[in-house]
Amino acid sequence: MGVLRTKSIEQSIRDTEESEHKLRKDLSAWDLTVFGIGVIIGTGIFVLTGIAAATKAGPAVRITHVPTGISAQSQNERSQAQNKATAMKVLRARLREAEERALPMALEQLDIADGFADRYPDVFGRATTADEVEAVFASGRIASLLGLEGGSVIASSLPILRTFFARGVRYMTLTHWKTTRWADAATDDPQHDGLTVFGREVVREMNRLGMLINVSHGSDETIEQTIELSSDPILATHHGLRSFNNIPRNMPDYLVKKLAAKGG
């Protein structure tokens, strides 16, 4: 019985060694194909590449170790990233087209407004300051002040903003119904979480010029960031209160209080 038990143990050892050798051999044959499957499928590459790497390290028992730090983007994630990139490209194109239409329209309307004062000087008087407004009123005429409704009209250009100021424009709303390339509107899908870096430059430049900032039509984030950033009081000339009518276009009470605290 002792001899038979010894042979049985020896045979078991040999069988185990042969099984491990065969398993290592079989896995080695998968080294290249495993990585190929991982690239094609995308998912499951963490485990598959771990198995392939482990076969080169020694006995099959080490297969249970899966290396950390290996990453791969799934096909679904890549598709989502591509869809997002495509959507952003379409959005940027739409916003550029809006600016291309808005700028010439604003210039044409500016000429019309100036024309009223030229053709009817006994009725209208141009005004760019508070003193000029009082002087026009004192003469019995209507003070004509110019403003821009919607930041798209400056075509994302500070020189164009300065040109409008030189033409007598003294206020601008940062957005209208649609989000611009640099500021979110209340009635459009948010794209920037308020103001972009360029949007902040617009606010600072309007402060420097002495041009009034109007936040009507802006998203809550746009309004709040403008209030915090501006060194001057700001306007909200055509806003309702959200506490009376709960729609995005109206301003919540906390922003009304912030605006008032800044002198607006």
Side-chain angles (χ1 to χ4, degrees):
M1 291 294 291
V3 174
L4 290 174
R5 173 181 286 182
T6 301
K7 287 183 179 179
S8 177
I9 293 173
E10 291 174 352
Q11 184 64 44
S12 297
I13 292 172
R14 283 196 298 271
D15 291 343
T16 301
E17 290 176 346
E18 288 176 1
S19 296
E20 290 179 350
H21 177 73
K22 185 176 183 299
L23 183 57
R24 288 197 301 271
K25 182 178 180 181
D26 290 343
L27 287 173
S28 295
W30 281 82
D31 281 357
L32 295 178
T33 55
V34 163
F35 284 93
I37 292 172
V39 171
I40 294 171
I41 297 177
T43 58
I45 193 171
F46 298 94
V47 175
L48 292 176
T49 53
I51 291 174
T55 61
K56 298 178 181 180
V61 70
R62 297 183 184 176
I63 293 172
T64 55
H65 172 68
V66 178
T68 59
I70 300 174
S71 62
Q73 192 176 37
S74 70
Q75 183 65 40
N76 184 48
E77 290 172 334
R78 287 197 295 272
S79 296
Q80 290 178 351
Q82 290 171 355
N83 291 340
K84 184 176 181 180
T86 300
M88 289 303 298
K89 184 177 181 180
V90 171
L91 174 65
R92 286 193 292 268
R94 177 175 70 82
L95 295 178
R96 281 196 299 271
E97 290 172 1
E99 289 182 342
E100 290 171 358
R101 293 192 302 269
L103 176 56
M105 287 176 61
L107 291 172
E108 291 166 3
Q109 291 171 14
L110 184 59
D111 273 357
I112 292 172
D114 282 340
F116 277 118
D118 290 336
R119 288 195 296 272
Y120 308 104
D122 57 330
V123 177
F124 298 104
R126 291 187 183 88
T128 59
T129 66
D131 289 342
E132 289 176 358
V133 169
E134 291 180 353
V136 173
F137 280 167
S139 68
R141 295 177 298 160
I142 299 171
S144 181
L145 299 96
L146 299 175
L148 298 175
E149 188 73 5
S152 293
V153 298
I154 67 169
S156 297
S157 168
L158 294 182
I160 292 176
L161 174 66
R162 290 189 283 269
T163 298
F164 275 117
F165 184 82
R167 286 286 303 270
V169 173
R170 288 299 180 266
Y171 97 82
M172 180 177 74
T173 59
L174 302 182
T175 69
H176 198 228
W177 291 103
K178 294 293 185 180
T179 288
T180 70
R181 292 172 69 184
W182 43 272
D184 285 330
T187 48
D188 197 6
D189 293 332
Q191 302 295 334
H192 318 298
D193 294 322
L195 296 171
T196 66
V197 172
F198 179 75
R200 293 173 178 274
E201 291 180 7
V202 171
V203 170
R204 284 189 283 264
E205 182 64 7
M206 292 178 73
N207 285 163
R208 188 191 70 81
L209 291 170
M211 193 172 186
L212 295 171
I213 300 172
N214 195 337
V215 293
S216 289
H217 290 283
S219 70
D220 290 355
E221 293 78 12
T222 296
I223 295 172
E224 185 167 22
Q225 291 167 21
T226 303
I227 293 172
E228 293 173 353
L229 179 63
S230 178
S231 59
D232 297 329
I234 63 174
L235 302 176
T237 57
H238 46 295
H239 244 110
L241 295 177
R242 199 172 298 173
S243 55
F244 286 94
N245 190 6
N246 188 19
I247 59 173
R249 177 65 180 79
N250 288 339
M251 192 183 295
D253 287 351
Y254 81 93
L255 286 180
V256 175
K257 293 176 181 178
K258 278 194 170 187
L259 185 146
K262 200 72 175 277

